[in-house]
Every structure is written in structure tokens, then in C-alpha cells.
Amino acid sequence: MSQRHPVLTMTAISKIFPGVRALDGVDFRLFPGEVHALMGENGAGKSTLIKVLTGVYGTDAGTITLDGQQVSFAGPMQATAAGVSTVYQEVNLCPNLSVAENIFIGREPRRLGAVNWREMRRRAQELLARIDLHIDVTEPLGSYSLAVQQMVAIARAVDVNARVLILDEPTSSLDADEVAQLLRIMRQLRDDGIAIVFVTHFLDQVYGIADRITVLRNGRLVGEYPTAELPQIALVEKMIGKELDALERLDSEAGRDRAAITAGQPLVAADGLGRTGSVAPFSLTIHAGEVVGLAGLLGSGRTEVARLFFGADRADQGRLAVDGEPTAIRNPVAAIGRGVAFCSENRRTEGLVGELSVRENIILAMQATRGWLRPVPRRKQDELVERYIKALSIRPADPDMPVRNLSGGNQQKVLLARWLITEPRLLILDEPTRGIDIGAKTEIQRLVAQLSDGGMAVLFISAELEEVLRLSHKVVVMRDRQLVAQLDNDDTLDADRVMRAIASGARQEELEKA
Amino acid sequence: MSTVKARLAPVTGHRLFWPLVVLVVLLAANTVYRPSFLSVELKNGQLYGSLIDIVRLSAPLILVALGMSLVIATGGIDLSVGSVAAVSGAIACLYISEQPDQNSLGAVLTALAIAFGIALLLGAWNGILVAGIGIQPIIATLILMVAGRGLAQLITSGQIITINSEPYKTIGVGHLLTLPFAIIIALAVTLLVAVLTRRTALGMIIEAVGGNAEASRLAGIRSRRITLLVYVVSAACAAIAGFMMTANVSSADGNAVGLWVELDAILAVVIGGTSLAGGRFYLSGTIVGALIIQTLTTSVYAMNIDPQTTLLFKAVVVIAVCLIQAPAFRARFRRRQAPTAPPAAPVEKQKEQVPA
């Protein structure tokens, strides 16, 4: 492969932000017809490298050559025009426009000066058919799932004659089937000779599709490796730069005494709780010190369950008891008052206030419970914020930085810190480790184990079965907005059984147990 | 030269730098036109001069704009402030005009209390429409903007109510401690709003609601109450401004009091650096913005600019102010000024002067 000429070469790229050397002499090569995984922890410089490549940022040093010609794009538009297209993690299309309009926005087929709508629809359909996506292109893009939106974004990118396609965390909000579909599309594009840069946190996907891997760490190049020659554990070591037996250590901690935890009165008990059009009535108890894992595919009703417990949505059926007392949790204020905390999976839209500082975001929930007339004293703020920045190693450790400037993993930690300082009794974590690097992921997992050891109840939602199994005492399986199984996490429970429950509805699982 | 630039970076990068530059330029232009412009003299224990006049005349606008800052910070807007000013001014004047002794301090205070109370109700009406019923702020307050004018005319029976009350007049043209009373009121209200928002957690919570309403709700903030509160504060500020405007001329004209002040107030807030999308708000910026607008109005009169071109002149200056403040515009201008950046060598220095 290396005899061929690379379509893209980046040499000795450096990029400096105030106080941070985001990239330091990084090299990167990309050959036509390959999938090249760009790996690294949060803050390793992956996003910056991509933004430098696509002209979002200028470089402070280094050269970029495309097809042997030195280039320097003034912006993503220029990059796209030159054949370098990017599909970002958060799809940046217009959800209110139709699928066809999104694909052809800015380059609408015209006839006599007016937009030729029929032609646009026809071509959109054709284009999507090529990646086996058969949807109504006149519907607003926002009415489709994230996966479909992502594929539309890819179709658009490819259609503008991309030779280099950059996929920045395309799979982080997709479920297994959708990932498989996306990987299939990627293979197809690769076989057409397109060079694909694949940024992801999912090792399985990297080993499933990537031809080569480039690893970055702290803004420096660690190395470029053919996938076949780099075992997974070696890759993780290179990304983290330290021995990683943390995961195994956690495993040994998981042998906690479930019988003792669930002996007493449940902290929270839902009895036939449900909401029409959102989630079918379910019954579920959570004890103090218990970690309940909520598994299921995307859209199976996991988040909806969490929202009912937190009062983010109002239940219209069933009862909820806290400490054995019947309670109606009508809104988040009521939930927080009873010691429930909820870290939403949508950090940006439902979690943080991007414009406010790390400090303000951390104290927001505590301040809300005190009311605006009783501000948290500055000294106490400093103390709490400093303690949690240290405890969760939030980086950069600057309490006054606007939180939107932080990387995804660090934003997640800020959100966690917000709830931890309220000392909740039930902590609901919705996909707390999504889209963040392995190091931060392990930290958060370890934290969950610690918190539950300390007596906190945790409702842990995750698309990753391994993670759910490692942490939970009890695994609750959701399917099609119904709670279909509650499985004790004893020695007999493994990913296969949970998967079967997810797939089949697993009524017989419960029968077997009974 | 680049080290000078680097030293100046904290100053030129400050939020208030460009608005203040504009203000200084306006004042300088006036001074060039009329050298005595900057002089302030003490007559009979009272300060006089064009500068004092500008601050005094801008007092009502400052008041309205302070309330507007909070409303805009929540992501809303309050178009009804002019009408609220007219209603409260009309009520106060009507009550005073019906008293046997218009100079009685008690009667004036009663008038102010009644009018102020009704203004709070009007503010609550706005707040309920926006926070309770969920009508878009621009529409919700448009209702009172139109209806309030009608209400003010009903109160004055379509006439201009003229009063002859020394205590009331003091609000507009009186002096205290050598300064016009209006300036002192504006200062006091500014301090009050600053303390209300920055010494409590109200400011941060307003910014959280304006920055991300859903995230704030999920953090346990009772955002409806906060929204209601800012509309009430806005109406309260507008009411005081209404007293000032009517006291200035000792009469209430339901048609004219506070006409278009909402637009000037919105402009002042925006010039001051608060985004119309909500979020962070800057009271100091708002005040500079209000001063710029009043200086502009005063300059137009002082320089004898043809009255028919006044509005156009104002518009041109406002566009200039907004453009100067936009970083994107300045960057483009700079690039044209210096198309060939000095090569490679100063790279190290550039790194140091990247504005934070």
C-alpha cells in the first residue's frame, strides 16, 4: 500500500491556542482507498488536526499537501470544494429542511434560474439509494433518527466529489444495527477509492474496519501503524501512555454483596409508572447503594424511564414511592428536593449552559435549590469547585473558562460535578461515557463504583453492555419502550444473555429465574 | 511595535473598549465644533454644562435599558416599556392634578406609589403571558405596547394633563448635592439592579435561563418565576422613567411619553455587548450604550444638523457603532489595511499576543 502516493500529507503541523500547545509537529498521511483511524484521548488533538486540515483553524507551523500540491484552506467551504469533506459528531445539517434540501443546499439544481425541485428530489433519492437508504426525501431531516441524519450527511459529503472523507465520531450516537450499516457504507466508499479518516472511541469498530491507525497523545504524534500489527491492548497503551489495568481492577471490585444491599426498604419504587406515548407502565425498585444498569437499544425507552424518575417528564400512570412514601415527582425541582439527580445524555442541550463558566455550571443545581436570594458564598464555591476539578481531573483546571470551550469528556465531568455537590441519593447517569476517551471513561466507571459503595443509588444507562455488566448489581432491559427483563447480575449473567433479552423480549428469562 | 500591541491587548480586548471609543469620539467631535462643550460650571450650588445635560437627559433611557438588559438576558424582549412609562406617568399626573394641593409631598408620594403599583401589575401581565402561557416575548409585549398607549390615552382622556407640582417636578429637573436629581435616581436604580443581580445569584440564574432554558429547568431552576420577575423589574424601571419624563415637562401626554424608547433601550443593550439571543448581560455596557445614544441625539441638535436628516444621521452612526464592535468586521478591515503580513520571523511574538 505504501508504494502508492498518499492523497493527503500533513507534515510537522503545530497549532497553539492561548496556554495550550494543541498540536506539536504532527505528521499524518492518508492513502486513497483506505480507512484510517485517528485515535487518541480527549484533548489529544484529533479534533484540532481535523480542523486545521479543513481550514477551520490556520496552522502555526507545518504544511499540508493534497495530491502533491501544497494547500491551505481558508475555511471548510474551500476544503469541501477541493474534495475534503467532513461529517461531524453532531450532525450539522438543518433539521427543519427536507432531506433533499439538505443534500443540495447551496448547490441546488436549477432550471431557468429557479430551483428545480423535481430534479433535486430525484437526485437525492438516487444518491441515497446508492447507500441503500430508502426514505422520503421530502420529509424534514429532523423527523429521522440521528443515524439516518448521519448517513444523509455522508451522502452529501460524498456527492460533492469528496476524495477525502472525514468522519468525526460518526457512530457515537448510533445503536449496533446502525453502526453496522454505517460501517458497510464506509467499506463501500473505500472500495470506490475514497480515503476515509475515521475518528472514534470504539475500539471494536476500529478493528472492524480500519486499515491503518494513527495515534495522537497530548498534541504529539505517537505513531502510525497497520491495524493488523497493533493489538488492541497495545493501542490502548499508546493512547493513554500508562499501564491500563484499571479496567480489570474494577472488575474485581464488582463482587459486592447484592443480597445485603437489597435487603432493606427500596429507596425508590416505581409501581406501574408510565407515560402515554413515551414509555409503557413499568415497576422497578432501586435500593441505596445499588447500581441498576439500564440496557437496550437506542430509542428503546431507557432515557424515558430516567426522565420519569427525575420529573423531566410527568408520569400519567402509576405510582412512585421514595423511602416507602408515595410521592409524585412532577418536575425536576421536586425530584432534586428528594435527592434525585439526572445527568442527561445530551450535555449541550439538556445539561450545560455553554456560555457560563465551569464554576457557574458546577454550582448551578445547588444554587437552584437554595433560590436566588441565597447565593452560594464565594468561598464555598471556590472550595467545592476546586475540590471537584481536582477529584474528577477536569481539564483545563480553570474554573472561569466558559464550559463550551472544554472537550466532551471534561464537559461530562463538569455535569457530574454539578450533581455530586448536591449529594444526591439517587444519581441517574444517561450515557455518561458516550463520546469520551478511555481514560475518562474508566475514571467515571470507577467513580460510579465508589459512589455506590458509599451508599448512593445509581441508575446507569449505557449502550455498552460490557460497561453495564461491569458496574451493575441488576440489569434492566428495555425494548420498544417496555421494560422486558430484570436480570440479577450474578455469575451466570453475561453479555449474551442480556443481548438475547434485548433481542427477544426475554419473557422466558424471567420465567427461568422464577 | 508588536510589543506595544501586546501590552494594549488587555485594554483593546475589553468588552467596553469599542463602545467607549465611540463615546469619546462623539464627545470629541462636539468639542471641536463647540470648544466650550466640555466645560462644567458651578452656579448657585448646581452643576451646569453640556456633559451634565447629556447624563441628565439619558437618565430615563438608562432606567429603561437596565430593565431591558435583564429581559434580553433571559432571551426575551420587552416592547411595552414606552407604553408602561406613559401609563405610569399619566396615572401619577392624573392623581396629582385632582388634588386640592398639588404641592403636597404626601399627595405626590401617593401618586407615585399608585402608579408604580400599577406598573408592577403591567409587568406581571407581560411575565404571565410569556412565562405562564408561553407566548413569544415579542408578541406578548407587543400587546401591551399597543394596548398601553390606549390605556394612557384613556387615563388622560385624550388630553394633555398639566400639573403644577413642585415636588413632582423635582424628579425631572430638581437638584440634590449639586447634581440633577434625575442623575441621582438613575445612579441609585443602577446600583440597586447591580446589587440585585450580582450580589445575589439572580444574575447568574438569569444568564443560565437565557443561555440554555432546558438545561436550567433540568438543573432545578424555576425559570418561570425568574422570567416573570425580569418583566416586573423591567416595568418598574420603565415606570420610574415615565415619572421622570412627565416631571420634566410637568405634564402627561399619553401619546408622546416614552414614544420609541423601547427601540433606543434595545439598541443601548446591544451596543453594550449583551446578545439578543440571551445569556450573559452587561449592565455597565448598557449604560455606556445609553450614553452613546443620548450624546448622539444631543450632538444632532447642538451641531444644527438639518432636522429632516436627523434620523438618517443617527442611523448612519448606529450602523458604524455596530460594525466597529463586530470582531469579524474589524478583522476584515485589518486584513485590508495590512495585506502582507511580515513573514516567518514574528511568529513567536504572534503567539504571545493571541487575545485570550
Side-chain angles (χ1 to χ4, degrees):
Chain A
M1 182 181 287
S2 50
Q3 301 95 310
R4 285 186 296 149
H5 287 293
V7 58
L8 173 82
T9 318
M10 299 175 81
T11 315
I13 301 288
S14 290
K15 176 72 196 171
I16 289 128
F17 292 118
V20 193
R21 192 170 273 263
L23 290 176
D24 188 3
V26 171
D27 298 331
F28 182 73
R29 300 186 301 161
L30 187 65
F31 292 94
E34 75 165 346
V35 174
H36 192 138
L38 186 57
M39 306 289 293
E41 284 204 89
N42 286 330
K46 295 166 300 188
S47 299
T48 313
L49 188 69
I50 284 168
K51 285 182 176 160
V52 165
L53 170 57
T54 54
V56 177
Y57 301 146
T59 54
D60 288 319
T63 55
I64 305 172
T65 51
L66 187 66
D67 285 336
Q69 295 214 313
Q70 187 165 338
V71 291
S72 165
F73 302 123
M77 296 284 280
Q78 262 188 32
T80 307
V84 178
S85 285
T86 313
V87 175
Y88 288 101
Q89 185 172 4
E90 326 267 315
V91 180
N92 48 356
L93 297 177
C94 310
N96 54 333
L97 297 186
S98 76
V99 171
E101 283 166 326
N102 267 294
I103 294 177
F104 290 103
I105 195 165
R107 49 192 190 98
E108 299 86 352
R110 287 173 185 277
R111 195 179 53 187
L112 304 172
V115 173
N116 186 344
W117 295 102
R118 188 179 304 179
E119 171 76 3
M120 184 196 283
R121 284 195 292 272
R122 192 186 57 76
R123 276 171 52 187
Q125 243 148 18
E126 226 173 64
L127 193 62
L128 293 178
R130 263 172 52 193
I131 56 171
D132 259 346
L133 194 58
H134 301 281
I135 56 174
D136 182 351
V137 296
T138 60
E139 287 288 310
L141 182 72
S143 63
Y144 291 106
S145 70
L146 261 182
V148 170
Q149 296 186 26
Q150 200 110 50
M151 290 171 202
V152 170
I154 291 173
R156 175 187 156 83
V158 172
D159 189 50
V160 287
N161 288 324
R163 279 168 307 153
V164 174
L165 177 62
I166 301 164
L167 302 176
D168 190 356
E169 302 260 10
T171 56
S172 56
S173 23
L174 309 189
D175 66 29
D177 283 348
E178 294 166 336
V179 169
Q181 198 177 350
L182 186 70
L183 294 185
R184 191 176 48 70
I185 292 170
M186 284 169 67
R187 283 194 197 96
Q188 192 183 331
L189 295 175
R190 170 179 66 187
D191 296 345
D192 291 346
I194 292 175
I196 299 177
V197 181
F198 185 34
V199 181
T200 184
H201 287 298
F202 295 96
L203 299 185
D204 290 351
Q205 293 166 16
V206 171
Y207 282 89
I209 193 164
D211 302 300
R212 283 181 313 134
I213 300 173
T214 289
V215 181
L216 300 181
R217 188 168 75 232
N218 292 332
R220 293 217 174 85
L221 176 69
V222 176
E224 182 199 287
Y225 315 89
T227 310
E229 293 168 22
L230 186 70
Q232 288 210 19
I233 191 74
L235 168 61
V236 171
E237 267 176 31
K238 287 184 194 308
M239 285 163 60
I240 300 201
K242 61 188 176 201
E243 294 296 314
L244 184 82
D245 52 359
L247 286 179
E248 283 85 85
R249 230 182 296 140
L250 252 178
D251 272 338
S252 61
E253 282 169 20
R256 273 163 292 155
D257 191 357
R258 174 168 156 70
I261 289 169
T262 55
Q265 190 180 52
L267 173 67
V268 186
D271 180 15
L273 200 67
R275 178 178 158 91
T276 313
S278 168
V279 60
F282 63 90
S283 298
L284 175 62
T285 59
I286 308 175
H287 291 77
E290 185 181 25
V291 180
V292 175
L294 208 46
L297 300 176
L298 203 79
S300 60
R302 300 171 315 195
T303 301
E304 287 76 4
V305 167
R307 289 176 69 91
L308 288 188
F309 275 114
F310 187 64
D313 295 328
R314 203 177 293 189
D316 56 11
Q317 300 148 57
R319 286 181 301 277
L320 190 66
V322 178
D323 292 324
E325 280 177 40
T327 316
I329 291 186
R330 290 178 200 284
N331 52 43
V333 177
I336 295 164
R338 285 170 183 74
V340 183
F342 173 52
C343 287
S344 166
E345 65 175 324
N346 300 312
R347 291 187 285 267
R348 258 175 243 179
T349 54
E350 297 175 2
L352 300 165
V353 185
E355 205 180 352
L356 297 191
S357 66
V358 170
R359 170 209 311 280
E360 288 166 317
N361 271 289
I362 288 180
I363 65 160
L364 196 59
M366 175 184 256
Q367 185 63 66
T369 55
R370 292 168 66 104
W372 61 268
L373 275 170
R374 292 173 52 227
V376 180
R378 183 61 185 224
R379 192 181 301 170
K380 189 170 175 197
Q381 287 186 22
D382 286 339
E383 183 200 310
L384 283 169
V385 170
E386 204 171 299
R387 170 151 34 109
Y388 277 92
I389 284 180
K390 202 175 284 174
L392 303 179
S393 40
I394 294 171
R395 270 176 300 250
D398 175 5
D400 295 314
M401 178 169 278
V403 81
R404 64 164 164 236
N405 293 0
L406 270 57
S407 68
N410 284 302
Q411 290 186 352
Q412 183 64 49
K413 291 180 196 167
V414 169
L415 192 55
L416 248 172
R418 171 193 294 172
W419 292 112
L420 292 181
I421 68 170
T422 66
E423 299 177 351
R425 301 168 66 205
L426 169 62
L427 178 63
I428 304 171
L429 299 172
D430 194 356
E431 297 276 11
T433 59
R434 189 183 93 189
I436 70 176
D437 63 72
I438 290 190
K441 199 172 197 163
T442 321
E443 280 172 42
I444 285 174
Q445 290 175 359
R446 193 179 300 135
L447 190 73
V448 168
Q450 271 171 17
L451 291 170
S452 77
D453 278 349
M456 196 182 288
V458 180
L459 183 60
F460 189 87
I461 304 175
S462 173
E464 281 180 66
L465 276 186
E466 295 295 322
E467 190 176 64
V468 171
L469 281 169
R470 190 177 306 131
L471 287 168
S472 315
H473 298 106
K474 177 165 78 178
V475 178
V476 174
V477 179
M478 300 295 298
R479 180 175 193 245
D480 297 335
R481 302 187 174 255
Q482 289 180 353
L483 193 160
V484 292
Q486 301 198 28
L487 311 167
D488 283 346
N489 193 1
D490 50 25
D491 294 341
T492 65
L493 190 65
D494 54 21
D496 264 4
R497 255 181 71 203
V498 178
M499 224 116 66
R500 256 181 302 153
I502 291 173
S504 64
R507 290 285 172 207
Q508 72 272 37
E509 282 278 345
E510 285 166 312
L511 293 178
E512 272 170 36
K513 295 256 16 147
Chain B
M1 186 191 135
S2 50
T3 49
V4 175
K5 257 192 189 167
R7 288 241 181 89
L8 283 177
V11 180
T12 55
H14 193 273
R15 244 182 324 97
L16 284 181
F17 177 74
W18 289 106
L20 283 173
V21 164
V22 170
L23 187 56
V24 168
V25 166
L26 279 175
L27 293 176
N30 273 291
T31 315
V32 168
Y33 187 80
R34 191 162 55 83
S36 67
F37 178 78
L38 288 176
S39 69
V40 173
E41 45 188 290
L42 194 65
K43 271 189 221 156
N44 307 328
Q46 298 173 358
L47 287 172
Y48 283 99
S50 302
L51 284 182
I52 302 287
D53 278 345
I54 288 175
V55 182
R56 180 175 68 85
L57 291 172
S58 63
L61 179 56
I62 288 178
L63 291 174
V64 172
L66 283 173
M68 187 70 79
S69 301
L70 302 190
V71 173
I72 286 179
T74 63
I77 201 154
D78 187 352
L79 296 182
S80 71
V81 283
S83 297
V84 172
V87 170
S88 48
I91 292 172
C93 289
L94 180 68
Y95 184 86
I96 292 171
S97 71
E98 286 171 350
Q99 299 305 307
D101 177 12
Q102 295 195 4
N103 284 323
S104 142
L105 185 61
V108 170
L109 289 179
T110 314
L112 294 180
I114 294 171
F116 194 69
I118 288 175
L120 295 186
L121 286 180
L122 292 177
W125 162 263
N126 277 335
I128 288 166
L129 288 188
V130 173
I133 303 179
I135 301 178
Q136 290 207 348
I138 196 166
I139 301 300
T141 57
L142 188 65
I143 294 170
L144 189 57
M145 177 185 177
V146 176
R149 278 285 158 215
L151 194 59
Q153 290 188 46
L154 272 181
I155 293 166
T156 61
S157 317
Q159 311 287 311
I160 298 177
I161 300 179
T162 311
I163 56 169
N164 190 4
S165 165
E166 278 307 315
Y168 193 72
K169 206 174 159 191
T170 308
I171 301 173
V173 294
H175 278 72
L176 183 72
L177 302 170
T178 74
L179 277 176
F181 199 55
I183 296 182
I184 292 178
I185 293 177
L187 258 176
V189 174
T190 305
L191 272 178
L192 195 71
V193 174
V195 168
L196 183 72
T197 52
R198 296 303 182 197
R199 289 284 140 184
T200 70
L202 185 61
M204 185 191 88
I205 287 179
I206 287 174
E207 289 171 342
V209 171
N212 189 339
E214 179 63 5
S216 302
R217 182 178 83 93
L218 293 179
I221 290 173
R222 298 168 199 263
S223 51
R224 285 182 179 187
R225 289 188 197 179
I226 299 293
T227 308
L228 182 74
L229 183 65
V230 295
Y231 284 95
V232 172
V233 170
S234 174
C237 290
I240 302 173
F243 300 149
M244 228 176 245
M245 295 182 219
T246 49
N248 246 334
V249 289
S250 279
S251 67
D253 178 354
N255 250 338
V257 173
L259 196 61
W260 308 133
V261 73
E262 58 278 345
L263 301 184
D264 277 349
I266 293 167
L267 192 57
V269 172
V270 172
I271 290 177
T274 303
S275 160
L276 278 178
R280 288 270 189 230
F281 66 93
Y282 307 99
L283 296 179
S284 52
T286 296
I287 288 169
V288 174
L291 288 174
I292 288 177
I293 292 169
Q294 185 57 49
T295 309
L296 195 54
T297 311
T298 306
S299 317
V300 166
Y301 292 124
M303 296 181 179
N304 290 326
I305 292 169
D306 183 0
Q308 282 154 350
T309 59
T310 305
L311 288 175
L312 274 181
F313 176 78
K314 239 176 135 174
V316 168
V317 177
V318 165
I319 290 172
V321 172
C322 293
L323 285 180
I324 287 172
Q325 279 202 69
F329 180 78
R330 288 206 308 274
R332 182 186 292 184
F333 191 68
R334 215 173 295 140
R335 219 173 294 150
R336 275 200 202 135
Q337 282 287 339
T340 45
V347 163
E348 278 305 315
K349 278 174 191 157
Q350 269 178 6
K351 282 171 195 167
E352 289 161 9
Q353 58 174 324
V354 172

